[in-house]
Amino acid sequence: SDVYKRQPFTSTTGVCETGQFSGTTGCEACHGTCKRCTDNAETDCTHCKLGRFPGTGTDAGKCMTCKEGSNCGSCLDGDGCTSCPSGYKFNADGTACESTGSGFGGYIFSGAAVLNSLL
């Protein structure tokens, strides 16, 4: 998507939106794996999108994918989640995220009266 490419600065401070960096002609799009970046190459990420983590060593600057099928919101490496996105919770062993199945965007309600009022 070229939605963010070459957009003008978005404020009087010259700060670009998330997913953009300040290029020579205005705000330009980061690589698709980056949430924030210094340029548009895969190795220019400073913050990663959900489900990715910062690479190290030869992968420095890249956003690596969390463990396949883990549904992580964030992770420190490819082996386990550190957070779950809205509508998900940690599984029993805490290594992946599973749907809450609640249909309420991840909110957990306590008490039968509250639950019954929602049905």
Side-chain angles (χ1 to χ4, degrees), residues 75-98:
C75 58
L76 294 177
D77 56 32
D79 293 329
C81 302
T82 55
S83 72
C84 297
S86 179
Y88 288 81
K89 63 180 180 179
F90 284 105
N91 65 357
D93 64 9
T95 60
C97 299
E98 60 188 14

Side-chain angles (χ1 to χ4, degrees), residues 33-72:
T33 60
C34 307
K35 183 174 182 178
R36 293 192 178 119
C37 65
T38 57
D39 210 325
N40 61 0
E42 180 183 28
T43 55
D44 295 325
C45 302
T46 58
H47 294 80
C48 298
K49 288 185 175 180
L50 284 177
R52 297 184 172 272
F53 65 96
T56 59
T58 58
D59 290 323
K62 291 182 180 180
C63 289
M64 312 302 288
T65 304
C66 295
K67 184 178 178 181
E68 184 73 32
S70 65
N71 297 312
C72 295

Side-chain angles (χ1 to χ4, degrees), residues 104-117:
F104 300 112
Y107 294 102
I108 298 173
F109 298 94
S110 60
V114 173
L115 182 59
N116 286 335
S117 70

